[in-house]
Amino acid sequence: MSLEVENSGGTEPANRLSLKRHDSLFGDAEKVSGTKHHGSGGSWARTLHLAFQSVGIIYGDIGTSPLYVYSSTFPDGIKYNDDLLGVLSLIIYTLIIIPMLKYVFVVLYANDNGDGGTFALYSLISRYAKIRLIPNQQAEDAMVSNYSIETPNSQLRRAQWVKQKLESSKAAKIILFTLTILGTSMVMGDGTLTPSISVLSAVSGIREKAPSLTQTQVVWISVAILFMLFSVQRFGTDKVGYTFAPIISVWFLMIAGIGLYNLVIHDIGVLRAFNPWYIVSYFKRNGKAGWVSLGGVVLCVTGTEGMFADLGHFNIRAVQLSFNCILFPSVTLCYIGQAAYLRKFPENVGDTFYKSIPAPLFWPTFIIAILAAIIASQAMLSGAFAILSKALSLGCMPRVQVIHTSKKYEGQVYIPEVNFMMGLASIIVTIAFRTTTSIGNAYGICVVTTFSITTHLMTVVMLLIWKKHLVFILLFYVVFGFTELIYLSSILSKFIDGGYLPFCFALVLMTLMATWHYVHVKRYWYELDHIVPTGEMTTLLEKNDVRRIPGVGLLYTELVQGIPPVFPRLIKKIPSVHSIFLFMSIKHLPIPHVIPAERFIFRQVGPREHRMFRCVARYGYSDVLEEPKEFAGFLMDRLKMFIQEESAFAQNEAEHDEASEAQTRPRRSTQSVVHSEEAIQSRVSSHSGRITFQASQSVEEEKQLIDREAERGVVYLMGEANVSAGPKSSVMKKIVVNYIYTFLKKNLTEGHRALSIPKDQLLKVGITYEI
C-alpha cells in the first residue's frame, strides 16, 4: 500500500493532514513502471553500439540466404534466360515489402515496451482487453496499466467495440491464444531448421575444391559444427554477439563486393530487374511452375521474424539503422551479382554462390561462409529463447530454468532444456534429410506461417491499441496478408517433399503448450472455487489448535486472493505456523518490466496479532527473479514499510473521527465557537500525541520482531499438487490430464528451481486435485 499526504496550501493544521490510502492488492494490482530499459531507447552512441551488435545477432539468417535461394528456386535448372530477371525482381521486391516495409517500418513499433515477438503482441493485446484464459485479471488493472482518457471519436468507439467482442467471446480468446502458440511453435521450428540448412549449405561448398568428398561426409562435418554451436549457447547472447558481429560484418562486405564484381564483369543489364514488369512476364511464361518457384524465392527473407523477436536485445532505431544501411544493400547486391553470373553460366544454378566467387577469394569466403552460417543459427536461437521465456511467464509452458546471460542488458536469456532439444532435433533433421532442397521446403512453411500470424495479430493491435484509420488497417492487412497468402499457397504445394516437417514440430509443441495451459487454467479455477475465506482464519487456527513456531514462513500459491486449499491441509497435518507467515503469490503482469519499488503488494490476513499477511510479488515477463537471500531481505524491508504505513493510516482515521465528532457539537455564540474550537484542538492534539507515541512504539516492536524472526530463518512452503481428471471425464481429457500433463510435470518442471528457492529451506505439501 502507499500513503499520500494532502495539505491545501499549508492552511490547515498539521493534525488535519489527509492521508489517502491506495490499498495495494486490487486497486494497484498492475501499476506499470515508466522506467527506460534496454529495448526502448537511449543515446545515439548506445544506438550505434547496439546496431553493431545486432548485425551479429539477428541478421545471420537473412544474410546467409544467398547460399541457397537460387538453387531452391530453380531445382530443375533455368529454362529461359529472362527468368533470371523475373526471379531477381521477385527477390528485390520481396525484400522491400516484407522485411523493410512491414517489419522495419511498421511491426517493430508494436513492441511491448521494447520487447518483440509473437508473445509480446499477445501480451500487449491482453493488457488492453481481458483475453487471457487465466482468471487473475482485475477490473482495476485497466485504470493503471498505461491507461489514458481519450476524446471520443470513431476510432475509439471502434476500438471499444473490438474490446467488447474479444472479452465476451471465448472463441476469440481461444483463437488468439492458438495463433500465439502456433507462431511460437513455428519460430521454434525455424530455430531448429535454420542451423540445419545454413550449416549444410555452407559446408557443401567444400566439394568445389575437394570433389572426392561424399555427401555423407559433408553431413557429418555439418553435424560436428552444429554440436559446437549448441554447446556455446550457455555463454550468452551478449558474448556470442560481440564475437559474431565483426565476422558477419566482414561477410556482408564480401558478398556485396563479390556481387558488385559479378555485376560489372558478367551482365550489368540485370539491373533492369528493378522494373516489376519482369515479374508479370515471368508468371506469363511459366504459369504454375512460376507459382511453385515462389517457395524458393521466399527463402530470401528467412530470419525476418528474428528482427522482431530479438528486439528485446536491442532497440528500434538500432535495428532500422543496421537493416537499411548494412543488410539490405549488401544482400541485394549479392543477389544481383549472382543473377548476372547465371546469365552467362545458367548451368551452375545448383551451386550459384560458390561458383560465382572469384578463384583467389574462394577459401576466405568459404571460411567466412561457415562462420556466417553459424551466426544465422544464432539469430533464430536467440529469438526462440526470448519468445519461450515470455511463454513461461504467461503459464503456457512448464517451469524450466531461464538463465539471464547478461548483467548489462535485459532480455538476453538461455534455456538449457530447450537448447538441448532444439540441438538434438537439428542434428536429426540434418542426418535424415541430407540436402538443403528438402530442408528448404520445410523451412519456407515455418517462415511464411509466422509472417501470416504476425499480420493477423498486428491487425488486432491496430484496431484495439493504435486506433488507426480503417483505410490504413485495410491497406496493411490486404497488401501483406495477400502477399503472404500467395507465398504460403506455393510452399504448401511441397508438403510431401519435406513441408510436413514443421507441421509435425508445431503439432507436438502446440499439444504440449495447450495441454499445460489447459490444466493450468483448470487448476487455478479449482483452487479459486475451494479457497478459505479470509474471515475464517481465526476459526481455522483455533479449530486445529495451531501453535506458532520461530521463523518466517512463505507459502507459495498462484491465487492472488483468499487462502489456498493447501493451507488447511498443512495445519491439519502439521498444526504449527511460523511466527511471521505470508501467503506468497508470484504474479507475472502482461508488461515486460515492473520496477522493484512497485514489486510487492501486502494485505493483513486476520487480526493483527496473528501476524499473517497476503503478499503478491509482481514481475514483468522479461524480469528475472532475485536470488533467495536478496528476495527475502527485500521482502522483509517492504513488509516493515507496510506495517508502518498501515499504522499511520489507522492513526489518521482515528484522529479524523475524533475531530469530526468534536466539531459537530452545538455552540451558542461566535465567541464560544472560537473558545470551543481552541479547546477541541488542545484535547485532540493531546490525545493524538498519546496515540502517536503508543502506535510508534508498537510499530517499532513489530519491526524488531520481524528482524528477529527473519534471522532465525525463512522456510518456503509449496503445494505439490497432483492433478487428475475426474471419474466422469471424457477419455480425451483423461489422456491430456493424467498422461501428457503428468509426464511434462514430472520431467520438465522444477518449481523451486524456477523460483530460485534453495532446497534446504523448502517444504512441500502434497495435495490432489480432481478437475
Side-chain angles (χ1 to χ4, degrees), residues 93-267:
Y93 285 103
T94 300
L95 283 167
I96 290 172
I97 291 171
I98 296 179
M100 183 183 286
L101 295 182
K102 178 185 170 182
Y103 277 87
V104 173
F105 291 115
V106 181
V107 174
L108 290 187
Y109 286 98
N111 67 88
D112 190 13
N113 290 341
D115 279 347
T118 313
F119 261 102
L121 285 175
Y122 179 76
S123 66
L124 187 64
I125 295 168
S126 71
R127 205 157 71 239
Y128 286 81
K130 295 178 181 177
I131 60 168
R132 295 177 68 182
L133 299 173
I134 299 176
N136 65 351
Q137 293 170 299
Q138 296 144 325
E140 291 84 358
D141 295 351
M143 298 173 63
V144 290
S145 298
N146 290 341
Y147 183 80
S148 59
I149 298 174
E150 300 181 42
T151 306
N153 53 50
S154 58
Q155 283 82 11
L156 180 58
R157 286 195 294 272
R158 186 179 66 239
Q160 302 236 346
W161 180 83
V162 172
K163 180 177 184 290
Q164 182 184 1
K165 291 296 181 184
L166 288 175
E167 291 181 343
S168 60
S169 171
K170 188 174 181 180
K173 294 177 183 180
I174 292 172
I175 289 170
L176 282 173
F177 178 74
T178 303
L179 281 176
T180 304
I181 61 174
L182 176 60
T184 302
S185 301
M186 286 298 176
V187 170
M188 291 292 293
D190 204 348
T192 302
L193 294 172
T194 297
S196 299
I197 192 171
S198 300
V199 173
L200 190 58
S201 59
V203 174
S204 297
I206 198 172
R207 298 181 72 183
E208 291 295 315
K209 298 297 181 182
S212 60
L213 277 176
T214 64
Q215 184 62 26
T216 301
Q217 290 171 320
V218 169
V219 167
W220 284 107
I221 293 170
S222 302
V223 167
I225 293 172
L226 289 172
F227 179 80
M228 287 187 291
L229 169 70
F230 284 94
S231 298
V232 301
Q233 291 304 307
R234 67 179 184 274
F235 295 112
T237 304
D238 191 38
K239 299 178 182 66
V240 173
Y242 265 117
T243 305
F244 286 168
I247 298 170
I248 200 70
S249 298
V250 172
W251 167 257
F252 284 137
L253 285 173
M254 291 188 77
I255 63 173
I258 293 168
L260 191 60
Y261 169 84
N262 286 323
L263 175 65
V264 173
I265 295 298
H266 297 299
D267 186 2

Side-chain angles (χ1 to χ4, degrees), residues 512-564:
L512 297 180
M513 294 173 77
T515 297
W516 186 267
H517 192 69
Y518 169 77
V519 179
H520 188 69
V521 171
K522 288 290 185 182
R523 175 183 164 179
Y524 192 98
W525 273 110
Y526 180 92
E527 290 186 343
L528 201 59
D529 291 339
H530 292 81
I531 59 173
V532 179
T534 306
E536 296 181 14
M537 175 61 77
T538 303
T539 307
L540 189 64
L541 295 177
E542 290 174 352
K543 180 182 176 182
N544 292 277
D545 193 21
V546 174
R547 64 189 182 88
R548 306 307 289 265
I549 58 176
V552 177
L554 305 181
L555 176 60
Y556 278 86
T557 171
E558 294 190 12
L559 297 179
V560 295
Q561 54 187 328
I563 299 166

Side-chain angles (χ1 to χ4, degrees), residues 429-591:
V429 167
T430 305
I431 295 171
F433 281 77
R434 297 175 61 83
T435 64
T436 57
T437 304
S438 298
I439 299 174
N441 294 334
Y443 196 24
I445 290 179
C446 283
V447 171
V448 182
T449 304
T450 308
F451 289 165
S452 183
I453 289 169
T454 300
T455 298
H456 285 83
L457 292 178
M458 274 297 303
T459 304
V460 177
V461 169
M462 289 179 174
L463 284 167
L464 180 66
I465 302 166
W466 287 1
K467 304 176 183 67
K468 292 293 182 182
H469 197 280
L470 198 59
V471 173
F472 178 81
I473 298 172
L474 284 173
L475 189 64
F476 174 88
Y477 186 77
V478 170
V479 171
F480 297 118
F482 182 68
T483 303
E484 289 154 4
L485 181 63
I486 292 173
Y487 276 120
L488 187 60
S489 65
S490 171
I491 202 74
L492 285 175
S493 67
K494 301 178 182 180
F495 185 84
I496 59 173
D497 299 322
Y500 60 85
L501 186 63
F503 285 101
C504 293
F505 277 146
L507 182 63
V508 172
L509 286 169
M510 286 183 69
T511 301
L512 297 180
M513 294 173 77
T515 297
W516 186 267
H517 192 69
Y518 169 77
V519 179
H520 188 69
V521 171
K522 288 290 185 182
R523 175 183 164 179
Y524 192 98
W525 273 110
Y526 180 92
E527 290 186 343
L528 201 59
D529 291 339
H530 292 81
I531 59 173
V532 179
T534 306
E536 296 181 14
M537 175 61 77
T538 303
T539 307
L540 189 64
L541 295 177
E542 290 174 352
K543 180 182 176 182
N544 292 277
D545 193 21
V546 174
R547 64 189 182 88
R548 306 307 289 265
I549 58 176
V552 177
L554 305 181
L555 176 60
Y556 278 86
T557 171
E558 294 190 12
L559 297 179
V560 295
Q561 54 187 328
I563 299 166
V566 73
F567 181 72
R569 181 175 178 81
L570 170 67
I571 60 174
K572 186 177 180 181
K573 298 294 182 183
I574 310 173
S576 58
V577 172
H578 293 84
S579 182
I580 306 294
F581 196 85
L582 292 94
F583 296 96
M584 193 78 217
S585 301
I586 303 293
K587 183 179 180 181
H588 284 91
L589 308 187
I591 55 175

Side-chain angles (χ1 to χ4, degrees), residues 35-42 46-47 49-51 53-54 57 111 113-115 237-238 242 310-318 406-412 592-593 622:
T35 55
K36 293 280 182 184
H37 55 83
H38 181 58
S40 61
R46 190 181 183 210
T47 298
H49 167 83
L50 291 172
Q53 193 184 359
S54 72
I57 296 295
N111 67 88
N113 290 341
D115 279 347
T237 304
D238 191 38
Y242 265 117
D310 283 331
L311 187 61
H313 300 179
F314 309 105
N315 63 37
I316 295 173
R317 287 189 300 185
S406 174
K407 293 181 180 179
K408 189 174 183 182
Y409 297 123
E410 298 165 2
Q412 301 188 358
H593 303 276
S622 293

